[in-house]
Amino acid sequence: MSAQTGDSISTLGPCGSCGQCLHCEARSRSICSVIDAEHMARLAQYSHRLAVAAGRTFIQEGETASDFFIVTSGHVKLFALMPDGRRQITGFAQTGDFLGLASGATYAFSAEALGALSLCRFSRSGLTLLRREFPELENRLMEEASRELVQAQKRMLLLGRKTARERLASFLLEQHHLLPAREITLRLPMSRTGIADYLGLTIETVSRTLNALQREKLITITQVTQIVLLNLPALENLARGG
Amino acid sequence: MSAQTGDSISTLGPCGSCGQCLHCEARSRSICSVIDAEHMARLAQYSHRLAVAAGRTFIQEGETASDFFIVTSGHVKLFALMPDGRRQITGFAQTGDFLGLASGATYAFSAEALGALSLCRFSRSGLTLLRREFPELENRLMEEASRELVQAQKRMLLLGRKTARERLASFLLEQHHLLPAREITLRLPMSRTGIADYLGLTIETVSRTLNALQREKLITITQVTQIVLLNLPALENLARGG
DNA sequence: GTGTTGCCTTGATCCATGTCAAACCTGCTT
DNA sequence: AAGCAGGTTTGACATGGATCAAGGCAACAC
């Protein structure tokens, strides 16, 4: 019930008191979609809205995994670090995505807000209670886990076996598929460093490869973070290693 | 009930008729461990034992994901392929491991028996019924999915950011941790090709790097598939990129 | 014994990508 | 407008692993 000010993350307040879950922008895309409107109050009782400042790391790899999150707006970067600073981004999350499945007793990854971000937080025990009360959640959580695992297999193939060109093509198409209307103009939510750490490359290679793709008329780089896909079939062929 | 002879995989017979689940070698290590002995008959009703010949690919990436499996004995190689033959092994499975979580409508990976293998098969619908009947299964399946996801994050870091030496050190330690008694003598269940495809390297690099580690007295290669870890702390340090 | 077959190792060379360094933007501050 | 500061591009060069090619070794067949 307490508003927990002084927390390192600012708490906007418990949903329970204001019925936020019912009007949640992320509801239809998140695991909460399996729960009827009439039960929203129960759901709200176990969840809290948070605002996270851009750039803040709100999950630290290795810390006790006591909370789970749903992204309600904004973008999140999930990553693992090596002691010398090498970074591997394991995924990006956006509105509706569930965070925390890849955890045992501790988180297996860190998570950082890419821009202004709002989250919905569930405690481990709260989620356990909700799962008991709404068994439909189980299926939805398993689906979420399956989706993530499928995604992980693809990333392993990309990181282990694809060339820089193939990685970039795969990446651009992935971003394309995330777009609701499948626009061919992409607005990338991350910098070159982000792309490099996602694809297991350096920023220089990312830059050079994107320019090479532009020279070959597969894409146009209109702005640094805006790219138009000119030749989808060719990109798809490249992405699969053809 | 039918024995389904003529199947491409030989069926040893339904568990339901012989109470195999009760005496299953894999029970204590698998998701089945959450079900009481008194309910084994129900479990057996929805599962079938299979024997798979060495080398056989019994799950094909892209095929309809109609079944789930538990490994009851032997080792399995899980992998993804590119059209030109590049292969990335995404994991190995052994006794007790659950196969099939990384699937939507179709399997996201292929699976091959590394040696003689026996499996327990569940149909998708059978598993759905079992989950309904034994809700404890849900927790266990989520645990299994979490474990796999944690593992996947580690592999992405390895494939995206580690050097050949670091990959081999990580691999040897992973094999070491899989051993029940943490012996320092490893018997690898796969060939150099298997190691290479697992680590995103070529067989030549695997061979050279293992020999380099031997020259540096971190390991001894007693036989091609048998390796003794001489200096665990140094290997651990190497694996984490120190 | 002598092929034969299927790994595995070793050596020589190549090249895709990393590293290092400088120049170039773009937006922001004063 | 001049000066930063942070990110991006570009160039020159280095190198870790890949590739190509031989040779070694063990298991098995005849």
Side-chain angles (χ1 to χ4, degrees):
Chain A
M1 277 285 145
S2 69
Q4 293 199 12
T5 49
D7 193 349
S8 63
I9 298 170
S10 70
T11 298
L12 296 182
C15 288
S17 56
C18 52
Q20 270 184 0
C21 285
L22 193 58
H23 310 106
C24 176
E25 321 82 282
R27 175 148 75 109
S28 66
R29 303 196 214 172
S30 78
I31 60 163
C32 304
S33 64
V34 300
I35 299 181
D36 296 338
E38 53 178 320
H39 296 117
M40 281 296 116
R42 291 291 292 141
L43 190 54
Q45 218 165 0
Y46 291 105
S47 61
H48 286 255
R49 269 307 187 77
L50 307 178
V52 181
R56 225 191 116 64
T57 300
F58 61 96
I59 294 178
Q60 290 271 8
E61 179 178 352
E63 286 188 351
T64 304
S66 50
D67 295 308
F68 297 94
F69 300 90
I70 293 174
V71 179
T72 51
S73 79
H75 290 266
V76 177
K77 171 170 103 182
L78 307 165
F79 61 96
L81 278 176
M82 290 177 69
D84 63 3
R86 276 177 279 174
R87 180 191 318 267
Q88 178 62 48
I89 296 181
T90 55
F92 294 102
Q94 56 179 205
T95 305
D97 288 342
F98 189 90
L99 303 180
L101 288 173
S103 314
T106 62
Y107 295 116
F109 59 92
S110 300
E112 180 187 311
L114 274 175
L117 175 71
S118 64
L119 296 173
C120 188
R121 173 163 64 182
F122 298 82
S123 68
R124 180 177 282 269
S125 55
L127 188 66
T128 302
L129 290 172
L130 283 171
R131 284 169 61 188
R132 210 165 288 160
E133 186 163 353
F134 303 104
E136 314 90 279
L137 275 176
E138 302 287 5
N139 287 319
R140 197 50 165 68
L141 280 168
M142 282 304 304
E143 263 173 41
E144 201 81 7
S146 289
R147 224 177 31 77
E148 271 191 57
L149 279 167
V150 170
Q151 177 78 3
Q153 315 272 326
K154 294 205 176 118
R155 313 253 11 268
M156 287 187 238
L157 180 61
L158 179 145
L159 293 170
R161 292 304 188 197
K162 290 192 185 178
T163 66
R165 286 165 58 75
E166 291 163 354
R167 292 182 200 204
L168 262 304
S170 304
F171 168 72
L172 293 173
L173 289 169
E174 182 180 296
Q175 292 295 313
H176 173 60
H177 287 308
L178 284 177
L179 257 39
R182 294 287 154 88
E183 299 91 331
I184 60 164
T185 299
L186 307 179
R187 165 147 286 292
L188 306 175
M190 78 288 285
S191 67
R192 295 289 116 114
T193 306
I195 302 175
D197 286 343
Y198 186 53
L199 300 180
L201 300 169
T202 59
I203 55 173
E204 292 95 331
T205 299
V206 169
S207 180
R208 280 189 250 269
T209 306
L210 283 175
N211 284 319
L213 295 178
Q214 175 163 241
R215 255 176 276 123
E216 295 162 33
K217 308 263 191 279
L218 299 189
I219 63 174
T220 304
I221 306 168
T222 44
Q223 297 165 45
V224 168
T225 61
Q226 184 171 304
I227 289 176
V228 184
L229 309 184
L230 298 180
N231 190 340
L232 282 176
L235 285 169
E236 272 153 11
N237 192 45
L238 182 53
R240 80 171 69 90
Chain B
M1 279 286 144
S2 70
Q4 291 199 14
T5 49
D7 192 350
S8 62
I9 297 170
S10 69
T11 299
L12 296 180
C15 287
S17 57
C18 51
Q20 269 183 3
C21 285
L22 192 59
H23 310 107
C24 176
E25 321 80 282
R27 175 148 76 110
S28 66
R29 303 197 214 172
S30 78
I31 60 163
C32 303
S33 63
V34 300
I35 299 180
D36 295 337
E38 53 178 320
H39 296 117
M40 282 295 115
R42 291 291 294 140
L43 190 55
Q45 218 164 2
Y46 291 105
S47 61
H48 286 256
R49 270 304 188 78
L50 308 178
V52 181
R56 225 192 115 64
T57 300
F58 61 95
I59 295 178
Q60 290 270 9
E61 178 179 353
E63 286 189 352
T64 303
S66 51
D67 294 307
F68 297 94
F69 301 90
I70 293 174
V71 179
T72 50
S73 78
H75 291 265
V76 177
K77 171 170 103 184
L78 307 165
F79 61 96
L81 277 175
M82 291 176 70
D84 63 3
R86 276 176 279 175
R87 181 191 318 266
Q88 178 62 49
I89 296 182
T90 55
F92 294 102
Q94 56 179 204
T95 305
D97 288 343
F98 189 89
L99 303 180
L101 288 173
S103 315
T106 62
Y107 295 116
F109 59 91
S110 301
E112 180 186 311
L114 275 174
L117 176 71
S118 63
L119 296 173
C120 187
R121 173 162 65 184
F122 298 81
S123 69
R124 181 177 282 268
S125 55
L127 187 66
T128 301
L129 290 172
L130 284 171
R131 284 169 61 187
R132 211 165 289 161
E133 185 163 354
F134 303 104
E136 314 89 279
L137 275 176
E138 302 287 6
N139 287 318
R140 197 49 164 71
L141 279 168
M142 281 305 303
E143 263 173 41
E144 202 80 8
S146 289
R147 225 176 31 76
E148 271 191 57
L149 279 167
V150 170
Q151 178 77 2
Q153 314 271 328
K154 294 206 177 117
R155 312 252 11 268
M156 287 186 237
L157 180 61
L158 179 145
L159 293 170
R161 291 306 188 196
K162 290 192 184 177
T163 65
R165 288 165 57 77
E166 290 164 355
R167 293 182 201 205
L168 262 304
S170 304
F171 168 72
L172 292 173
L173 288 169
E174 184 181 296
Q175 292 296 313
H176 173 61
H177 288 309
L178 285 176
L179 258 38
R182 296 285 154 87
E183 298 91 331
I184 60 165
T185 300
L186 307 178
R187 165 146 288 291
L188 306 174
M190 78 288 285
S191 67
R192 295 289 116 116
T193 306
I195 302 175
D197 286 343
Y198 186 54
L199 299 180
L201 300 169
T202 59
I203 54 173
E204 293 94 331
T205 299
V206 169
S207 181
R208 279 189 250 271
T209 306
L210 284 175
N211 284 319
L213 294 178
Q214 175 163 242
R215 254 177 276 121
E216 295 163 32
K217 308 263 191 277
L218 298 190
I219 64 174
T220 304
I221 306 168
T222 44
Q223 297 165 45
V224 167
T225 61
Q226 184 170 306
I227 288 177
V228 185
L229 309 184
L230 298 180
N231 190 340
L232 283 176
L235 285 169
E236 273 152 11
N237 192 46
L238 181 54
R240 80 171 70 89

